């Protein structure tokens, strides 16, 4: 019996024979990727089971990598890829792929990137450009920075020591007193910070005191995400916390388990399971407003997920991208990423150091 594909069944790489005695995939290490003929249906079934098992292992490793490192992002209408090999940042826009200077380590912009955008450099400095009405681009006094978050009126930065610095008009002056912060996320009117010991700090308009109290009680949180009127937190045990308006359909995230990553936007909260599936919590009966967001619930083989106010974006284990929602130039944006996806796949596979199949 024979298989009729020239692709590696594990990573999808074209499996053209490179030598008569080479049967493995040079990219993912599956030892039998180029075996095409089998003694019978039993041998073919064993091969398929082995390939499926190795594909699951590959997905788990890539998902784990993307959960630990900020590999994939969606900011200011641009997709971002940060190489897990050398930290090089790539901006993918409707006009094409823009590799950034080697010293650029992070890019952040609000939904309307024409207002302001910020670049974090490897020496801890920031470079900002765009609208400076509130002083949000006056980043010269911010230093020793390891993470940055740009909002329309303020630039927030986390120092190497875990303190928060900002320039512009912050949601609350209280953020300047935050300590031991690892990550920041912002809604339309509030900011949250994830601390090194798994607590979540919040400042700004939290809708009501009960929402602020809910967030203050969270423990063992490993990731945070914000929409304009809600915040979610991923717990160490794979469950998800929600803080927002009572009756918000996105609060169904509380029923999830086995979650590896989270994201949230104006309509849905998204959860990435440990085996690469996407869960959605939310409800939108208006197709004109949904604009395809529901499609994300059918996505599989996903390595990372993120949201903006306009939609949902996911990075596939194979380096591909999936987009859903009211995303500007969505077709051209996807086309630009497609031209880059082979590079993404190769760098992801190299980074997780896939071992030869045994």
């Amino acid at each position: 019996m024979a298989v009729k594909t020239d692709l590696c069944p594990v990573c999808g790489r074209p499996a053209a024979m490179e030598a008569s005695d080479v049967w493995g995939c040079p990219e993912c290490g599956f030892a039998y990727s180029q075996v095409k003929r089998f003694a019978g249906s039993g041998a073919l079934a064993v091969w398929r089971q082995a390939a499926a098992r190795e594909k699951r292992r590959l997905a788990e490793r890539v998902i784990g990598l993307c959960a630990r490192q900020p590999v994939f992002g969606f900011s200011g209408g641009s997709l971002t890829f940060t190489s897990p090999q050398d930290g090089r940042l790539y901006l993918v826009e409707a006009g094409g792929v823009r590799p950034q200077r080697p010293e650029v380590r992070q890019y952040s912009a609000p939904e309307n990137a024409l207002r302001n955008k910020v670049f974090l450099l490897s020496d801890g400095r920031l470079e900002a450009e765009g609208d400076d009405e509130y002083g949000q681009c006056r980043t010269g006094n911010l230093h020793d920075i390891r993470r940055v978050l740009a909002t329309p009126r303020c630039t927030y930065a986390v120092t190497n020591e875990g303190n928060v610095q900002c320039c512009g008009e912050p949601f609350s002056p209280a953020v300047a007193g935050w300590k031991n912060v690892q990550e920041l996320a912002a809604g339309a009117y509030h900011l949250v910070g994830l601390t090194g010991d798994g607590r979540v700090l919040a400042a700004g308009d939290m809708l009501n005191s009960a929402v602020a109290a809910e967030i203050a009680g969270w423990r063992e949180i490993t990731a945070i995400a914000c929409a304009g009127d809600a915040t979610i937190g991923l717990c160490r045990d794979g469950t998800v916390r929600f803080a927002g308006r009572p009756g918000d359909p996105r609060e169904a995230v509380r029923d999830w388990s086995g979650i590896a990553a989270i994201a949230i936007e104006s309509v849905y909260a998204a959860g990435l399971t440990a085996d690469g599936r996407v869960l959605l919590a939310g409800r939108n009966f208006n197709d004109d407003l949904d604009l395809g967001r529901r499609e994300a619930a059918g996505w599989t083989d996903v390595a990372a997920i993120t949201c903006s106010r306009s939609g949902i974006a996911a990075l596939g284990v194979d380096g591909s991208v999936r987009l859903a929602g009211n995303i500007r130039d969505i077709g051209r944006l996807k086309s630009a990423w497609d031209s880059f996806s082979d590079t993404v796949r190769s760098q992801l596979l190299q980074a997780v150091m896939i071992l030869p199949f045994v």
Side-chain angles (χ1 to χ4, degrees):
M1 301 189 70
V3 293
K4 297 181 179 180
T5 178
D6 291 325
L7 302 178
C8 171
V10 173
C11 71
R13 180 186 188 273
M17 188 66 71
E18 298 181 1
S20 60
D21 59 347
V22 175
W23 304 104
C25 176
E27 196 147 29
C28 73
F30 179 50
Y32 308 117
S33 70
Q34 302 197 63
V35 176
K36 299 301 177 187
R37 295 187 177 277
F38 303 87
S41 59
L44 177 58
V46 170
W47 178 82
R48 284 175 170 165
Q49 290 171 3
R53 184 167 58 248
E54 190 71 356
K55 187 175 181 178
R56 286 194 299 272
R57 188 175 76 156
L58 170 63
E60 290 170 357
R61 291 188 176 194
V62 177
I63 291 168
L65 169 72
C66 293
R68 293 189 301 273
Q69 300 183 31
V71 171
F72 178 65
F74 187 28
S75 183
S78 300
L79 296 167
T80 61
F81 177 74
T82 303
S83 169
Q85 301 291 97
D86 58 13
R88 186 77 177 268
L89 177 73
Y90 299 81
L91 283 184
V92 182
E93 302 171 324
V97 181
R98 293 175 50 204
Q100 300 300 294
R101 309 190 318 266
E103 62 267 30
V104 175
R105 286 294 178 264
Q106 188 196 349
Y107 166 78
S108 182
E111 187 81 1
N112 183 359
L114 297 177
R115 293 199 57 157
N116 54 295
K117 58 185 72 173
V118 181
F119 297 86
L120 170 63
L121 307 184
S122 55
D123 63 2
R125 294 182 299 114
L126 299 177
E127 292 182 353
E129 57 187 60
D131 176 33
D132 192 37
E133 180 180 356
Y134 303 94
Q136 66 268 44
C137 290
R138 301 171 199 172
T139 61
N141 291 328
L142 308 186
H143 51 85
D144 296 323
I145 306 303
R146 60 179 178 78
R147 296 297 294 166
V148 64
L149 176 66
T151 68
R153 295 189 176 192
C154 187
T155 296
Y156 301 91
V158 179
T159 70
N160 289 320
E161 294 183 350
N163 301 321
V164 176
Q165 299 179 358
C166 60
C167 61
E169 187 177 291
F171 292 122
S172 168
V175 301
W178 287 0
K179 306 293 183 183
N180 191 26
V181 174
Q182 305 297 309
E183 280 291 343
L184 296 172
Y189 306 103
H190 72 287
L191 182 79
V192 297
L194 176 63
T195 68
D197 59 358
R199 295 176 298 109
V200 179
L201 308 174
D205 182 2
M206 303 308 299
L207 304 178
N208 58 56
S209 59
V211 173
E214 167 75 18
I215 293 175
W218 290 355
R219 296 292 183 270
E220 296 191 344
I221 302 298
T222 61
I224 51 176
C226 283
D229 57 352
T231 296
I232 57 176
L234 176 61
C235 299
R236 195 174 304 279
D237 64 2
T239 58
V240 181
R241 299 290 187 92
F242 176 87
R245 299 180 188 276
D248 188 317
R250 292 171 295 179
E251 67 182 355
V253 299
R254 292 169 173 156
D255 298 327
W256 291 350
S257 61
I259 302 300
I262 55 172
I264 189 170
E265 47 105 50
S266 58
V267 180
Y268 295 106
L272 175 63
T273 67
D275 60 355
R277 294 175 294 111
V278 174
L279 305 180
L280 293 183
R283 184 171 60 248
N284 189 349
F285 297 118
N286 188 323
D287 290 339
D288 291 334
L289 295 177
D290 188 271
L291 291 169
R293 284 173 168 88
R294 298 190 199 103
E295 297 174 6
W299 292 347
T300 59
D301 298 322
V302 170
I305 193 161
T306 185
C307 290
S308 73
R309 288 171 55 192
S310 57
I312 306 169
L315 172 66
V317 173
D318 61 358
S320 63
V321 73
R322 296 93 181 271
L323 303 172
N326 186 27
I327 297 171
R328 187 175 65 250
D329 292 323
I330 186 170
R332 294 175 60 209
L333 186 60
K334 186 178 186 306
S335 179
W337 185 280
D338 288 346
S339 70
F340 179 56
S341 61
D342 284 347
T343 298
V344 175
R345 178 187 62 192
S346 180
Q347 292 207 19
L348 289 174
L349 292 179
Q350 292 176 42
V352 297
M353 297 181 292
I354 298 300
L355 299 175
F357 180 79
V358 177

